[in-house]
Amino acid sequence: MSADWTGFAYLVAAVCFIMALRGLSSPTSARQGNVMGIIGMIIAVTTTLLDPEVISYEIIFAGILVGGTIGTLVAFRINMTALPQLVAAFHSLVGMAAVLVAVAAFYHPEAYGIGTFGNIGTASLIEMSIGAAVGAITFSGSVVAFAKLQGLVSGNPVVFPLQHPLNAVIGIAIVALTVALVFGQDPTSFWAIVILSFLIGFLIIIPIGGADMPVVVSMLNSYSGWAACGIGFTLTNTALIITGALVGSAGAILSYIMCKGMNRSIFNVLLGGFGGETVAAAQQAAGSRSVKQGSADDAAFIMSNANQVIVVPGYGMAVAQAQHALREMADLLKEKGVDVKYAIHPVAGRMPGHMNVLLAEASVPYDEVFELEEINHEFSTADVAFVIGANDVTNPLAKTDPSSPIYGMPILDVEKAGTTLFLKRSLGSGYAGVDNELFFRDKTMMLFGDAKKMAEEIVQALN
């Protein structure tokens, strides 16, 4: 394939990727967005394979076969609740790929047309250093995020004295080593950059608590994009540069939006995190306070006699896979003339859009699902707020207690509804480690049990 046709094909692929991002901006067009992304990737991969510089199709197709088989098996076996940690694992692979490409380019630069070993161009060395550093940070950070999301380690922040100064020193050292590499091209400098980048990626993520995991996932997505962009420069591949830049910038914008949704500074989250801290002033022993407990029959009676019910899904719904039973419950209520809507908090779950994905899987109509800004004013006129598995995103302490780690985070105003039905396994705290004051309000009725089982029992009672 000629250079002109290659450039044109990559341009078409880039346009498809941009249209894919545009489609993914709304649940109603997400499927078309995915299709455009697939078409763009097929064009990009096919164009790359037709490059006359390809010398071993056997190795390429062997890699596609092995990777495709593993990916297919994982896709069929993965639960929807485990999707966030799967995304984190994928990000780690992109990061490691960037590191490996940088290693290959450093030791065999002639294969990439950037010089010879010990005599690599300055621009290529800078690109290589940045790609290796970002890739290593993405890899180690994603591994830590995966371990926290999977429950292999505690989701609480891990902090120690002089943590920020240490990160600053490592960051400065990476920059200094990059300069040394440019002038000396010493393998020791190169490997020092890689090792320190692995270390700082680990140190950046461990102080981030479970309440910040949506931001972590989107930020690692951004890192993986910039790592791919760095690979593109090393490989002089236009499609990879454009794709990496799109993913990197989109992930950064999404991270900013998520932080705005939590009323937090993105720098505070990334440099120290919040959530998971134990704040004595913000907590009370659940056993020392009484709550009003109800049954599925009570919930069915209250909702069937309501004019409007607003459903607030959370991660507990995802864990129990209760979205299908929830939709069936909503359908029965609508048959009885009840107006049912769904309220989604931007950081509900463990990744951006987690609740939207689950509701879409259960075929909940898109026009019944509303974001916080769109529906928060309606809780004051709603008869019932049905909270299923959410916690921190409904906690009134975010508005009243300055000592709380979630203070200042916009929440869903479920406490303003006539009655709040709170479906939860126990009175346990959420990711932020803070008891929910809403549990103990007079207008709140707690429904203890598995979310799916309780929703199914409510369906039976409605029937």
Side-chain angles (χ1 to χ4, degrees), residues 294-313:
S295 64
D297 289 332
D298 295 326
F301 177 79
I302 292 172
M303 287 192 288
S304 62
N305 287 280
N307 290 319
Q308 184 183 35
V309 174
I310 300 179
V311 179
V312 179

Side-chain angles (χ1 to χ4, degrees), residues 106-430:
F106 182 74
Y107 283 98
H108 300 282
E110 60 278 357
Y112 297 86
I114 57 176
T116 59
F117 183 69
N119 189 29
I120 303 173
T122 299
S124 297
L125 282 171
I126 295 175
E127 294 165 2
M128 192 185 306
S129 300
I130 295 175
V134 175
I137 292 171
T138 303
F139 174 78
S140 56
S142 297
V143 169
V144 175
F146 172 84
K148 287 194 173 193
L149 290 168
Q150 189 66 17
L152 301 178
V153 298
S154 172
N156 291 333
V158 178
V159 296
F160 53 85
L162 301 178
Q163 190 169 39
H164 296 320
L166 175 61
N167 290 344
V169 169
I170 295 175
I172 294 171
I174 292 174
V175 174
L177 287 166
T178 300
V179 175
L181 180 66
V182 170
F183 286 100
Q185 303 201 20
D186 182 13
T188 302
S189 299
F190 175 80
W191 284 110
I193 292 172
V194 174
I195 292 171
L196 288 178
S197 298
F198 278 130
L199 177 60
I200 198 171
F202 174 79
L203 293 175
I204 287 174
I205 302 302
I206 58 170
I208 299 178
D212 290 331
M213 273 302 143
V215 178
V216 174
V217 172
S218 60
M219 204 62 211
L220 288 171
N221 179 61
S222 178
Y223 291 165
S224 68
W226 297 123
C229 186
I231 297 175
F233 279 108
T234 303
L235 298 176
T236 62
N237 187 294
T238 306
L240 202 51
I241 294 172
I242 295 174
T243 304
L246 286 172
V247 174
S249 56
I253 293 171
L254 179 58
S255 300
Y256 171 76
I257 293 173
M258 299 302 291
C259 284
K260 185 178 179 181
M262 297 188 298
N263 195 29
R264 300 290 172 176
S265 165
I266 190 169
F267 296 105
N268 289 341
V269 172
L270 296 179
L271 295 179
F274 78 97
E277 301 92 339
T278 301
V279 183
Q283 294 201 23
Q284 299 185 39
S288 65
R289 307 178 68 183
S290 60
V291 299
K292 184 187 300 182
Q293 184 175 348
S295 64
D297 289 332
D298 295 326
F301 177 79
I302 292 172
M303 287 192 288
S304 62
N305 287 280
N307 290 319
Q308 184 183 35
V309 174
I310 300 179
V311 179
V312 179
Y315 186 66
M317 180 194 75
V319 173
Q321 289 289 283
Q323 60 269 27
H324 297 282
L326 180 66
R327 192 219 64 204
E328 187 177 357
M329 181 194 82
D331 289 344
L332 289 173
L333 288 174
K334 286 186 287 185
E335 289 178 4
K336 296 178 181 293
V338 181
D339 178 27
V340 179
K341 295 180 179 178
Y342 298 81
I344 306 294
H345 193 284
V347 295
R350 288 188 174 180
M351 65 180 292
H354 200 173
M355 296 303 104
N356 301 76
V357 171
L358 291 173
L359 294 180
E361 182 191 17
S363 300
V364 172
Y366 296 132
D367 59 359
E368 295 178 5
V369 181
F370 299 89
E371 299 293 334
L372 180 147
E373 295 83 1
E374 300 173 304
I375 199 170
N376 229 13
H377 66 281
E378 293 194 32
F379 282 105
S380 58
T381 58
D383 299 292
V384 178
F386 183 80
V387 184
I388 177 168
N391 200 330
D392 295 330
V393 298
T394 63
N395 194 337
L397 288 179
K399 298 187 293 185
T400 60
D401 188 355
S403 66
S404 171
I406 62 173
Y407 180 71
M409 182 178 80
I411 63 166
L412 291 163
D413 294 329
V414 297
E415 79 274 10
K416 294 181 178 180
T419 300
T420 300
L421 299 176
F422 215 116
L423 201 169
K424 203 169 181 294
R425 284 184 177 274
S426 67
L427 292 177
S429 59

Side-chain angles (χ1 to χ4, degrees), residues 35-69:
V35 171
M36 293 306 300
I38 292 171
I39 293 173
M41 187 57 65
I42 291 174
I43 293 173
V45 172
T46 303
T47 303
T48 303
L49 290 176
L50 294 176
D51 192 312
E53 294 185 5
V54 174
I55 59 175
S56 178
Y57 284 103
E58 293 82 2
I59 295 177
I60 293 175
F61 285 116
I64 293 175
L65 180 62
V66 173
T69 301

